Amino acid sequence: MHHIADVLFVILNVGPRKFINHSYVVDVRIIDQSLQPSILSLWDQFSEYEAPAMANLPGTFPVAIDLRLKTSKYYGQTLATRNTSSFIFDTVIPEAAALQSWAIANTKKLREVAATEPAQIVIPKADENLEDDTIKIANLPISVEKTQYLNVQAVARVTDFGQTFYYLACSICKKATNAYGNADFWCNYCNQKVSPLTKIKFNIQITDPTGTIQAAVFSEIAAEFYNITATDAIDGQLALPVLHMLAEPKKCIITLKAYMHNYAGISQLKFNVHAISLRSNTETENRSEALLTLPPNTPNKRSKKEDPNSSTSIDTNPAKDSEATGQTPDSPSNNK
């Protein structure tokens, strides 16, 4: 069983970003006065934003606070982010100042620890115990101020077989275009003539007992989860056996990327599939915890607020969105 912890720590080093179990993760080695290093796994959006922020903090061994971590024990102490985790950098609370002073005084020792190879750590699956963080489809927000990542436990399948299962993108910037065929075209983003790149994209229906939504699946998820690549799409369609596979209902745990799509002055909530894995029926093994503790009543604690007022089922139309890289489909169109 995982517990929630607020943790004050010294950052030893920030590892590379890796793609594991349909999700991105960055492993950060951290330590406190116990001199027992630990692994902090930053999943998905935390690997994209907080990991670079940690790597660029000033000082040899900077201090940070992470609120609402999952804790478990594999081959040593391990910690991992959950959707409601948040970080505090450059904090001025007394405990952080004391830990920073300790790190400065023990720089030589910390350098030795940072230089050693970490113990073999079993990386937790991205979907492990995500049931703790899942929400019902009826409780999904109807709008968001900024991009959010939300977990649902639902049945996924393709129901629209008249849709086009690919789009053409610029082979340089990867942004969607209105090019057609195999001819080179002029990319308005790169300002040069480029070749078209075929990218998989299709919409799936996601259903739980409370409602149904549509979400877009892009090339990376299509390849990792469905084993579909651009070579499988012929004139925008897939072979019949592939379509039968997509039509099969699959019980999944899905991380949705929720964002506002603006087009022609109309703003609408859209969902992309950020990560997906088959739901396991096996009970997750209970594990003991070993915390790097943060003293109680620490000021400036904050957590992400959920919208308790949204209770209606959401049924969005499939959108021709560009791949989940921060690009939006309301960008100017490209012409041949």
Side-chain angles (χ1 to χ4, degrees):
M1 181 175 61
H2 291 273
H3 289 272
I4 309 306
D6 298 339
V7 178
L8 172 65
F9 55 86
V10 173
I11 300 169
L12 292 176
N13 51 53
V14 179
R17 196 174 190 224
K18 300 172 291 186
F19 190 71
I20 298 176
N21 296 317
H22 312 296
S23 289
Y24 286 99
V25 63
V26 170
D27 290 331
V28 181
R29 293 186 73 198
I30 62 177
I31 200 169
D32 66 0
Q33 291 98 325
S34 68
L35 281 176
Q36 296 295 318
S38 178
I39 297 292
L40 168 57
S41 296
L42 307 182
W43 288 102
D44 297 321
Q45 69 266 31
F46 297 101
S47 72
E48 184 177 359
Y49 300 108
E50 276 74 11
M54 282 189 181
N56 293 319
L57 286 174
T60 305
F61 295 112
V63 170
I65 296 175
D66 193 347
L67 306 178
R68 296 184 58 79
L69 285 174
K70 292 192 297 186
T71 67
S72 60
K73 191 171 183 179
Y74 294 87
Y75 291 96
Q77 302 176 63
T78 62
L79 304 133
T81 52
R82 44 189 281 136
N83 279 350
T84 54
S85 296
S86 61
F87 290 84
I88 302 174
F89 304 127
D90 301 321
T91 180
V92 295
I93 65 171
E95 293 84 0
L99 184 59
Q100 185 69 81
S101 297
W102 172 84
I104 294 171
N106 291 276
T107 297
K108 182 178 179 180
K109 179 64 176 176
L110 294 183
R111 287 186 189 278
E112 294 174 357
V113 174
T116 60
E117 288 294 326
Q120 181 65 35
I121 299 295
V122 176
I123 300 297
K125 293 182 179 179
D127 63 324
E128 184 171 1
N129 276 357
L130 278 187
E131 290 90 343
D132 296 340
D133 292 329
T134 57
I135 61 176
K136 300 297 184 183
I137 288 177
N139 293 330
L140 289 171
I142 58 175
S143 65
V144 293
E145 292 185 3
K146 62 180 182 179
T147 300
Q148 293 185 16
Y149 294 85
L150 306 163
N151 297 317
V152 296
Q153 191 172 186
V155 173
R157 60 180 298 194
V158 170
T159 57
D160 177 12
F161 296 101
Q163 64 179 301
T164 301
F165 287 84
Y166 80 97
Y167 66 95
L168 293 178
C170 169
S171 56
I172 297 177
C173 68
K174 307 299 188 294
K175 291 186 178 180
T177 75
N178 62 357
Y180 60 91
N182 296 319
D184 291 350
F185 67 98
W186 187 266
C187 178
N188 292 332
Y189 303 101
C190 299
N191 199 30
Q192 60 182 301
K193 196 171 186 178
V194 297
S195 300
L197 178 67
T198 301
K199 304 282 285 183
I200 288 289
K201 183 261 179 182
F202 56 88
N203 292 288
I204 61 173
Q205 178 180 282
I206 301 173
T207 303
D208 74 3
T210 70
T212 297
I213 59 169
Q214 296 284 333
V217 171
F218 287 95
S219 296
E220 194 169 74
I221 298 298
E224 292 289 336
F225 186 74
Y226 292 103
N227 196 29
I228 298 172
T229 65
T231 58
D232 294 309
I234 302 175
D235 296 328
Q237 294 301 316
L238 301 175
L240 191 58
V242 178
L243 294 177
H244 284 167
M245 179 269 294
L246 292 176
E248 181 184 351
K250 296 178 177 64
K251 293 183 178 180
C252 301
I253 295 180
I254 306 161
T255 300
L256 296 168
K257 176 184 177 182
Y259 64 99
M260 301 306 296
H261 165 51
N262 298 293
Y263 183 73
I266 299 175
S267 184
Q268 185 179 12
L269 181 68
K270 297 292 183 182
F271 297 101
N272 290 347
V273 176
H274 182 70
I276 183 172
S277 60
L278 292 175
R279 178 182 173 185
S280 173
N281 293 323
T282 305
E283 288 288 333
T284 302
E285 179 184 356
N286 290 341
R287 299 179 176 95
S288 57
E289 295 77 25
L291 308 185
L292 297 172
T293 56
L294 181 68
N297 301 323
T298 302
N300 298 327
K301 285 188 181 179
R302 51 190 173 85
S303 61
K304 298 179 183 177
K305 294 182 179 180
E306 297 179 357
D307 182 3
N309 299 319
S310 177
S311 59
T312 57
S313 176
I314 305 169
D315 194 356
T316 64
N317 293 322
K320 295 184 178 179
D321 305 323
S322 57
E323 191 142 13
T325 56
Q327 302 150 7
T328 56
D330 52 333
S331 305
S333 297
N334 290 301
N335 298 315
K336 271 186 73 179

